[in-house]
Amino acid sequence: MLQTVSLAELARRFTSDLSHLEQVAAVYPCRISSYYAGLITAPHDPIWRQCVPSVEELDDTVQLPDPLDEERLSPVPGLIHRYPDRAVLLVSNRCATYCRFCMRKRKVGCSGGETDLPAAYAYIAATPQLRDIILSGGEPLMLPDDELHQILSTLRRIPHVEIIRIGSRIPVTDPSRITPALCRMLAEHHPLYLNTHFNHPQELTPESARACSLLASAGIQLGNQTVLLKGVNDDSLTMQKLLTGLLRLRVRPYYLHQMDLVRGTAHFRTSLEQGRQLISSLRGRVSGMAIPHFVIDLPGGRGKVPVLPDTLQRDGVVWLVQTSSGEWVRYADPV
Ligand SMILES: *Cc1c(COP(=O)(O)O)cnc(C)c1O
Ligand code: SF4
């Protein structure tokens, strides 16, 4: 059973009045696992910012609830099919902790908009180009082992589904959910990839390390998707600690996401230029293995695009290439 803390308990712990946040939680649900709340060291620290509601969420009324047009791109409710060969199946709309910056803020923790699983299986089975299915939500690992096993087995019976990915923040928000029994079950469904979601070095705890180690030892390839968040991880040193710490946990950084233009999340947004400078600041300074792709997911469901530093210029037939220390070097392709 997931242990959670209420806003009232949090208020007592930090002797602050949080009653005004109940109105925010009435619009965008609040849930904080006891484990994750335990990582907070002071009010408004990077953990607090990620999980405790803020009145600023209600100030943001300009952006759209679903800027990536996921609903329009769903041929059946709960299956998002944007790219030719892969699709996202939303298998749960609950999470162990609701992140205040969530790109599916419009639906996580809310009722309605349930996935039509039989229709989704039928669509996947009838669409042979789908070779990669991504289980997301919400949080797939909020499902009991047997339900998850059922979903994975059903997908595995579709011959053209080659790989299955799970998107899960459970190793960060409720690591004790990762049990040897869960890992044994998952290992029956290889090739299986799991992308988790660490955003700050304070989240790299012994409990999380144990969860990642269990998953990795079950042969599951672990990646990480970080969201670039103002006041949480938008400085180079924090990002370096996070990314190199992830490699120690056997997790390979995969994506660094520019915040989506989702309603209720404006107070987390950084500029595209800031993100680009941040990612350039890492190159040459930390292992290439630690550096994720910095991507922007374009509005209107146009997909993810990598944002790269300007390291290339053409000078006639030769190239000018900028090194990580800023020097421009001439490079000519051999004739
Ligand atoms: C991000 C995303 C994917 C997966 O993209 P990759 O670049 O392959 O990781 C697939 N479908 C949708 C709708 C997505 O948003
Ligand atoms: S765990 Fe993922 S789906 Fe759930 S609230 Fe956080 S970002 Fe959203």
Side-chain angles (χ1 to χ4, degrees), residues 4-18 32-45 47-48 51-52 202:
T4 60
V5 298
S6 64
L7 285 174
E9 285 169 284
L10 212 57
R12 270 196 299 282
R13 212 178 108 193
F14 291 101
T15 49
S16 50
D17 180 14
L18 302 177
I32 308 171
S33 67
S34 301
Y35 165 82
Y36 198 65
L39 305 184
I40 299 174
T41 55
H44 310 288
D45 82 347
I47 304 296
W48 176 292
C51 64
V52 180
Q202 238 163 281

Side-chain angles (χ1 to χ4, degrees), residues 70 80 82-83 86-88 134 165 254-255 297 304:
E70 291 190 330
I80 310 161
R82 180 204 292 163
Y83 300 107
R86 52 211 192 275
V88 175
I134 301 158
R165 299 192 240 178
Y254 176 44
Y255 278 147
D297 211 336
K304 295 182 186 69

Side-chain angles (χ1 to χ4, degrees), residues 4 12 30 57 66 80 86 107-108 111 120 123 136 165 183 196 208 214 224 231 234 255 263 274 287 299-300 305:
T4 60
R12 270 196 299 282
C30 171
E57 294 173 40
D66 179 21
I80 310 161
R86 52 211 192 275
K107 64 197 292 178
V108 293
S111 52
Y123 179 89
S136 182
R165 299 192 240 178
C183 293
T196 184
S208 284
L214 277 176
N224 186 71
D234 60 337
Y255 278 147
R263 183 178 297 172
Q274 256 175 296
S287 318
V305 178

Side-chain angles (χ1 to χ4, degrees), residues 40 178 189 196 247:
I40 299 174
I178 309 295
H189 302 283
T196 184
L247 289 184

Side-chain angles (χ1 to χ4, degrees), residues 95 97-99 102 108 138 169 197:
C95 304
T97 294
Y98 293 125
C99 312
C102 180
V108 293
R169 213 174 180 217
H197 180 170

